[in-house]
Structures are given as C-alpha cells and as structure tokens.
Amino acid sequence: MLKANTLLISGLATLCAPVLASEKINNYQSFTGYTGLINTPNANVIEVGHIDLGYNNMLDLRGREYIDGHNFIFSAGLFDGFEVSGQIATESINDNMFYSEGKGQLRDLSFNAKYQLPYIPKDWFTVAVGAKDIGGAANNYETYYAVASKELWDFRFSAGYAVSDRLTGQMDGPFAGIEWQPFDWFALQAEHDADAFNAAVKVTVPKKWLYNIGELTFTSRFYSNTEHSEEDTSWGVNFKMPLFSKPEYEAIESAPEPVVSESDELAYFKLNANKEPVTIKDPNAHRYFESNKEMTRQAATLKHALVKDGFESVQVGFNNDKQIVVKFENSTFNRNDLDAIGLVLGRISQYVSSEGIEFNVFMSKQDIPQLSLKGNVDEYREFILSQKHPEVVVYQGTMPLPRALTWVGLMNTNSPYFKPRVTFSPALTNGYATELGLYDFSLAVRADVDIPLWQGGGINLGGQINVANSDDFDEDAPFRYFREESEFDRATLYQTFALPYGIYNQTQVGYFKDYQDYMGIQNETAWLSPEGRHKVSANIGYFDYQDFDANKDTQVVSYQYNWVERDITLHAEAGNYFYDDSGFKVESRFWFGDSYLAVYAQDTNVRKIGFAFSIPLSPRKDMSVTRYGQVKGSEAWRHSISSQVGESHNNLAFNRAYLPSNAVSLDRKYLNQGRLSKAYLYANFSRLRDVYLEYK
C-alpha cells in the first residue's frame, strides 16, 4: 500500500509540473508481444513496414506465475492498421529439455495479431481487436481481446475486455491503462491487466543518436501488486526500425480527360490501355524527316547511352513515319525490371529531340518477350520535367513492329549469350524454441551460375559451402540430417518459351540434389491475364533416385492475384509435393518496394502457420555484364519461421509443401517475382521517372 501511495503522490506531483509536450505519443511494444503498455494492449499498431525486436525478463510461466526468464519478441506492421508478432518464451537459452538440466522447462513459440478497425474518425477514438498465441499445440497464452484508445494532450487512455484461460487472471476480463508522454524520449505507463496494477517507465534513445537507423527503448516495470510473482520489478529493451520503406515518389498530374479501357480494373489508373497509337497532329506527319542524318545521330547517341547503362541486345531503329524503336534486355536492374523500363524511357526523352516522335519499346530476356510500351516522346519528356502523366499503351509480351525501319549500327549490340552470371546468397536452415535450445542454425554460402546459350535456353549450375553451424547441427548431433552441406547440387539445362495468349513455359532437365541424388525433369507453365492481375501456373516434376530404384513425382497448381493498389499479392497452391506430402498452402505478401513481409498457412501431412520476409541482397543497379560475366547478390532472399498447429504436439517438420527450386525460374528471371504486368506498371508509373532522375 505504501508503494501505491508513493506512486500516486509522485504521479500527481509530476502532472502538476510544467513540461514540454511531445509532438505525438509513441507506440511501444508490451512485455506480452502486442503494441501496448506492460501486459495490456492499446488500440494502436506498429507502423507499416517497421519491425520491433524486443527482449524482457518477465516470463509468464504457463499462465500460472511470473518468474525471471526470457521473452524474445519480433513484431512487424504488414499494412495500415494490421500488425503481427512472434514470441519465444523460455526459461533458459541452451538447456536441453531431454536431459535433467532442462527437464520440465518451458520453451514456447507463439504468434499474435492485432487489427485496428477502419472507418472510425481518428479524432474520436481508435478500436482494435486481436489474438495472442494463435493455433499451436500448448496454447499457454491464448487470449482474445478488444480495446479502445483515446489520445488527449500528452495522454493516451485505453480500456477493453479480454478472454483467456490463465490461472493468474491476466487479460481475463476488463482491463485499462494510461500512458503519459511529456517528452519524445520519456513515457510513464500505468495499467490494470484484469489481475493486478502495474506501472512502468520507458526511456528512448533519440533516433539521431543511432545514425537514424532506429529507436532503442529501455523499459522498467517498477511496480506490480500481483500475487503470482515474488518480484514486482522487471525490465526490457526494444529496437524499432523501418525494415522496409514504401517508396515516396512525387505526386504526378494526370493527363486531361484520359481515355480508359473497358476494363474496370484499368479505370483505377486513369490511363489509356486500349487506345490507338498516339496521333501526331502535324500536317507534315507523313513527310520524310527534314534531316535523316540528324535522326540517325540521335538514334546512335541513344543506343550508345543504353549500352553504356549495361543493357544487352540493344537495337535502335526509326522510320519515316516519325517512329523510333528500342529493343533491349535488362541484366543490371535485377531487383525490379520496372527500373530498366524507366531508365530506357528517360534516355529516349533525353536524346530524341525531334518533335512529334512516337516511341516503341520492347523489353525481353534471352529473346523471350516480356513487356512492350508505346507512347509519345514529347509527352513523356513533359512527364519527366513537370510530372504530367503521359498516355502510354502497354502490351503484355510483344506488339507488332512499325514498318520500314532503319536500324542503327549492328543489329544486336552487347549479346547476352555465353556470359555466366553468378549469384551469391546465404542458405540457412534453423530451428526456433526447440527442446534442444532457443535457436539452432546451419549456414552456407550459395553460388548459382546461369549461362545463357540461345533463345530462352541455357545451363544452370549451383552449389554451396558450409560456413557455420550451431552444436545441434554438427555431424553427430540431432539435426545433422538437415544441415547445409558443402556440395554441388544443381546442374540443369533449361529451355523457356513464350507462347500465345500470355502463356510461358519452362522445362529444366538434369541433376538435382536434395539430401539424395536425382536425375530429373521439371516443367512449369504459367498464364498471365491481359492486365497481369491473375497468374495461374502448373509445376510438374519427375525425379529418379541415382542410388537405388525409386522415383518421385510432383504436381502442384498455383494461383496468384496481384492487388496492385495495395501492394499485396495473394497466393494459393495445392498438389503433391517433393517429400510425399500433399495438400495446399495459402500466403499473403505485403510489398514494400522490392521487399515483402508475408504470412502463410499450409496443410499437407502437417498443419503449419508461419511468417516470412524477402529482401534483396543487391543494390538497385548491379554491375554490368562484361564479356567475362557478372557477379551479383540475390535479388530476393527469403527467410521464414513457422509452427505446427492443430495438434497436441509441436514436432518439427522440415521441408513440408516443398518443391526443388532453381535460380532460373519463370518468376525470378522472366516475370519480375510475379509482378511484371501492365497493371503493376500503371500503379507504379512514378517509379519510372524516379529511376531516371537517379541514374541520368
């Protein structure tokens, strides 16, 4: 009671003191994983694209009592109003729970989610609903709640109701809390968590002191009147940073009275997808150029600039109908083919100065058509200078070439063939919160070599070198069968075709190694809708063991919807997988530029839910391909963590819903991670201007 009175008096005295108010009240990670106070949530969520890495020592032991232990929390904002988090709760870091040292200990992995309800005016209040410890086997912390928050001056008031089965009574009934932030770097919190009163102070290290990388926050829970703990103090530390940032491009002005296609999908973009080619309103439009020599000079200068930018198979031509044609292949902007298109269009507006010229741009990869564009050079130049949106016609694949073209210089400058491209990336297998330890891993450095040989065809080679393992992945340890070995594991010959009606087909034949040696054939066929929002694909494989008489068959059908307005792609697949499991998998990817956060669920011979992220391990523009080849990092390295659900146990299950993969695939090499489409280009049109201004 004395502590409570002291806290109350100190709080009232502080409230009466003159202070400098902070501009806004910060969002903090609670000790229990969601954005909130100490044990309770508020109605706020972590910012989109941000992550929060947290640690605290207040371990809720199976909902019965609080002890000094370890909580490791990772949370992320997927889209406006929605956050997810994962929490590892453990009594020890390295104790083996099969031995006497760790017998009976807690080591639990749980997933949490919170959604802030939309359509409620922010100046009223905010409301959120959430769940903790979703699925899983033990469900030690399963909780469901609703909470409302209101900000006044330097205060945030929160109240809500929760349901849980914890014996402590935490978050099982009504709860409430108050946050007071007089300074940007200081906050005081008090709450009732449906069981006890708690109070904490948070101190944040200014972001500018950490080179603007992120914010470091220290938390001290200095008071609690709970009867389920011998200690009423605990501490924590958090680091929050923007892992992904949505590109901030300048707003652009739409062209006056744009003509839209009949498709409702394209109406969103206010662009003309089906209009006839731009009409040149010039009485002399059908006359020859006044100076054919001048046009030749401009085209030659443009071609030289594109080759210098690192593009391959560059061809530039023009005709007497005031049309200029550029054909090229992108091998430098490997993170996103859209950047290559933007730089090419920018170069055209830079070097083609004759009036009334229509551009025709064709992008391909190993002579496999990807995307084609048509528009007016003068309009596009105005877009670069004043951000006024031009009318651009986009075709999936190729479009008819203009007539009577005069090509400048060699027909095909900077050929892509017989030049190896080496991609380095990490290969990582890991286990989180197992009975053997908090974290186990096996790490290798991987190199994949792609050697293009002819149209759509080439050789793909791959291997890796093991560089580090935790003890449980050693050669005589429990996870030895899943360690990343030093080995040569891929040697295939691939052939890709672009077929009519938006169909792509790729076949790979050769040597595959996935713990065993196989000779196999793998075929993928994908269909893109005319606007590129829908993609349907089928992956079929046959693999023959080399060490004994047996084989494997795989058949998987998948669907992708590209929700370009929200930078979200939705994925679903079903079929028979490589390790004799069958079922389905669904996934949502939330894109931030060329990276994404994802949540997924799968049901094959086990049910799992998981969280994943993908990041590029290369700069926006890679080194150009020389006659000796190219060295680069992976354009999309993915890491995931998952947990088994729907069972009374949580046994590890490696490589479920798995298909053998290659660095050369339709999505990776030809379809821009499944995003190369008219709809995606229109939704990100301002990026075309941005890349030119950066690399001009």
Side-chain angles (χ1 to χ4, degrees):
M1 181 62 69
L2 178 61
K3 287 185 177 181
N5 291 335
T6 302
L7 175 64
L8 179 61
I9 294 170
S10 300
L12 290 174
T14 308
L15 284 173
C16 296
V19 293
L20 177 63
S22 62
E23 294 184 1
K24 66 181 184 66
I25 300 178
N26 294 332
N27 297 324
Y28 298 103
Q29 186 187 88
S30 68
F31 277 9
T32 46
Y34 29 65
T35 298
L37 291 84
I38 309 157
N39 294 334
T40 63
N42 56 35
N44 291 64
V45 294
I46 189 172
E47 296 87 344
V48 176
H50 284 62
I51 63 169
D52 194 317
L53 306 174
Y55 170 84
N56 68 77
N57 71 332
M58 190 195 76
L59 179 64
D60 184 351
L61 186 60
R62 298 185 177 88
R64 299 197 302 262
E65 60 177 325
Y66 305 104
I67 66 172
D68 186 11
H70 309 278
N71 288 313
F72 297 89
I73 302 169
F74 172 87
S75 58
L78 295 187
F79 59 85
D80 288 336
F82 184 66
E83 70 173 24
V84 296
S85 62
Q87 177 175 347
I88 297 174
T90 178
E91 293 183 61
S92 64
I93 302 297
N94 296 312
D95 288 352
N96 190 320
M97 295 171 65
F98 292 111
Y99 298 157
S100 58
E101 62 181 7
K103 197 75 171 178
Q105 286 190 12
L106 170 72
R107 191 167 291 144
D108 182 85
L109 174 63
S110 59
F111 288 94
N112 319 311
K114 184 202 285 190
Y115 181 59
Q116 189 180 78
L117 300 183
Y119 309 121
I120 299 176
K122 297 295 183 182
D123 56 349
W124 289 8
F125 51 84
T126 53
V127 177
V129 294
K132 180 175 172 61
D133 202 0
I134 303 170
N139 297 107
N140 293 301
Y141 311 110
E142 186 174 14
T143 306
Y144 301 92
Y145 62 86
V147 59
S149 295
K150 172 67 176 178
E151 295 184 10
L152 290 173
W153 306 292
D154 303 331
F155 296 88
R156 180 189 290 134
F157 303 90
S158 300
Y161 191 86
V163 177
S164 73
D165 293 327
R166 299 177 191 170
L167 297 179
T168 61
Q170 183 196 126
M171 292 293 288
D172 188 19
F175 62 88
I178 302 175
E179 302 169 74
W180 178 48
Q181 185 181 315
F183 306 104
D184 288 336
W185 54 271
F186 178 84
L188 187 64
Q189 299 178 332
E191 68 175 15
H192 182 264
D193 63 9
D195 165 60
F197 287 96
N198 309 295
V201 62
K202 292 182 181 288
V203 177
T204 300
V205 177
K207 191 175 181 180
K208 62 182 179 181
W209 291 8
L210 301 175
Y211 304 98
N212 289 318
I213 297 174
E215 297 176 347
L216 186 65
T217 299
F218 298 94
T219 302
S220 172
R221 189 198 69 168
F222 58 83
Y223 172 78
S224 177
N225 67 354
T226 180
E227 299 177 354
H228 303 284
S229 174
E230 296 181 0
E231 301 288 337
D232 61 0
T233 62
S234 54
W235 63 274
V237 59
N238 290 80
F239 183 71
K240 184 168 70 172
M241 63 177 289
L243 180 61
F244 311 118
S245 297
K246 283 185 178 293
E248 296 292 338
Y249 302 127
E250 297 182 53
I252 54 179
E253 179 187 349
S254 297
E257 298 182 1
V259 180
V260 297
S261 69
E262 295 178 358
S263 169
D264 290 337
E265 294 177 341
L266 289 184
Y268 169 80
F269 305 108
K270 298 182 180 179
L271 287 173
N272 185 3
N274 296 329
K275 191 178 178 181
E276 292 299 318
V278 177
T279 301
I280 310 302
K281 297 181 179 180
D282 183 349
N284 300 317
H286 298 290
R287 292 180 53 192
Y288 286 178
F289 287 114
E290 293 181 0
S291 174
N292 195 61
K293 182 178 180 181
E294 175 61 20
M295 193 60 210
T296 301
R297 185 193 66 79
Q298 293 178 20
T301 305
L302 170 62
K303 184 174 184 178
H304 175 75
L306 295 177
V307 172
K308 189 177 180 181
D309 286 329
F311 297 117
E312 297 180 298
S313 291
V314 178
Q315 300 179 52
V316 178
F318 62 93
N319 62 18
N320 292 320
D321 293 328
K322 291 194 173 184
Q323 295 174 308
I324 189 165
V325 173
V326 175
K327 302 177 73 173
F328 75 100
E329 296 195 4
N330 169 42
S331 57
T332 57
F333 292 95
N334 294 297
R335 285 167 53 166
N336 198 322
D337 287 314
L338 218 61
D339 290 339
I341 295 173
L343 186 56
V344 169
L345 293 179
R347 292 288 186 228
I348 293 174
S349 68
Q350 178 181 353
Y351 291 107
V352 179
S353 57
S354 299
E355 294 183 0
I357 304 298
E358 176 191 281
F359 65 77
N360 295 261
V361 173
F362 300 77
M363 184 176 69
S364 59
K365 191 73 64 77
Q366 280 185 245
D367 293 315
I368 300 297
Q370 294 176 284
L371 216 61
S372 306
L373 302 91
K374 181 183 295 187
N376 182 275
V377 176
D378 295 332
E379 288 185 6
Y380 196 85
R381 186 182 300 110
E382 187 176 358
F383 166 62
I384 295 292
L385 296 174
S386 63
Q387 306 174 57
K388 184 177 179 181
H389 218 314
E391 293 184 5
V392 175
V393 183
V394 180
Y395 295 84
Q396 196 75 44
T398 190
M399 62 182 177
L401 273 172
R403 299 172 299 174
L405 289 170
T406 299
W407 297 100
V408 177
L410 298 174
M411 278 294 292
N412 195 335
T413 303
N414 200 13
S415 170
Y417 299 115
F418 301 99
K419 298 175 182 177
R421 295 104 198 282
V422 183
T423 302
F424 288 100
S425 62
L428 179 64
T429 298
N430 46 241
Y432 292 92
T434 69
E435 286 81 359
L436 305 182
L438 175 68
Y439 178 68
D440 289 295
F441 72 93
S442 179
L443 175 66
V445 174
R446 180 168 188 81
D448 291 284
V449 183
D450 174 23
I451 308 175
L453 298 179
W454 55 75
Q455 181 179 9
I459 296 174
N460 176 42
L461 308 172
Q464 61 186 40
I465 297 177
N466 181 279
V467 294
N469 304 288
S470 63
D471 293 342
D472 292 320
F473 274 97
D474 286 341
E475 293 183 353
D476 57 350
F479 292 148
R480 62 186 179 275
Y481 297 113
F482 304 104
R483 63 182 276 143
E484 298 287 346
E485 300 287 357
S486 297
E487 58 188 6
F488 175 75
D489 58 15
R490 289 292 187 275
T492 62
L493 180 69
Y494 66 86
Q495 179 63 57
T496 309
F497 297 100
L499 304 175
Y501 308 109
I503 298 174
Y504 291 84
N505 180 274
Q506 184 181 86
T507 301
Q508 301 205 35
V509 181
Y511 171 73
F512 298 80
K513 183 169 186 180
D514 276 279
Y515 303 109
Q516 302 288 338
D517 295 329
Y518 303 91
M519 292 298 293
I521 178 170
Q522 196 172 24
N523 178 270
E524 182 182 7
T525 301
W527 170 79
L528 287 175
S529 67
E531 312 305 336
R533 286 184 180 267
H534 308 276
K535 180 170 77 75
V536 179
S537 59
N539 192 308
I540 301 173
Y542 176 84
F543 305 90
D544 185 62
Y545 281 102
Q546 295 301 286
D547 298 328
F548 50 92
D549 187 16
N551 59 70
K552 288 181 177 290
D553 296 298
T554 60
Q555 308 91 25
V556 175
V557 177
S558 61
Y559 168 76
Q560 172 187 309
Y561 178 74
N562 196 352
W563 190 5
V564 294
E565 295 91 342
R566 298 292 185 181
D567 287 325
I568 297 173
T569 53
L570 306 173
H571 305 254
E573 64 180 41
N576 300 313
Y577 295 94
F578 189 72
Y579 286 104
D580 300 321
D581 57 322
S582 60
F584 67 89
K585 177 180 178 180
V586 292
E587 177 171 312
S588 297
R589 296 178 183 174
F590 304 88
W591 290 87
F592 305 90
D594 300 320
S595 308
Y596 67 75
L597 294 168
V599 290
Y600 64 90
Q602 61 189 55
D603 185 356
T604 56
N605 60 347
V606 297
R607 296 176 181 176
K608 300 172 72 174
I609 61 172
F611 176 83
F613 66 86
S614 173
I615 56 175
L617 300 180
S618 63
R620 187 175 187 179
K621 186 176 189 292
D622 287 316
M623 65 169 283
S624 299
V625 181
T626 70
R627 60 178 177 174
Y628 304 107
Q630 180 188 45
V631 177
K632 58 180 180 172
S634 173
E635 73 282 357
W637 181 71
R638 174 174 166 132
H639 183 63
S640 61
I641 176 174
S642 63
S643 179
Q644 198 171 158
V645 296
E647 299 289 345
S648 59
H649 60 81
N650 192 15
N651 296 340
L652 293 180
F654 291 98
N655 295 329
R656 301 295 91 182
Y658 169 80
L659 290 175
S661 61
N662 289 290
V664 177
S665 67
L666 290 181
D667 263 7
R668 278 182 174 269
K669 186 165 184 175
Y670 297 97
L671 301 180
N672 197 35
Q673 299 188 61
R675 300 174 296 163
L676 191 64
S677 67
K678 292 196 294 185
Y680 178 72
L681 185 145
Y682 288 149
N684 294 272
F685 206 88
S686 55
R687 181 169 180 159
L688 304 182
R689 178 177 182 270
D690 172 77
V691 70
Y692 170 70
L693 295 178
E694 181 175 347
Y695 291 100
K696 66 178 182 179

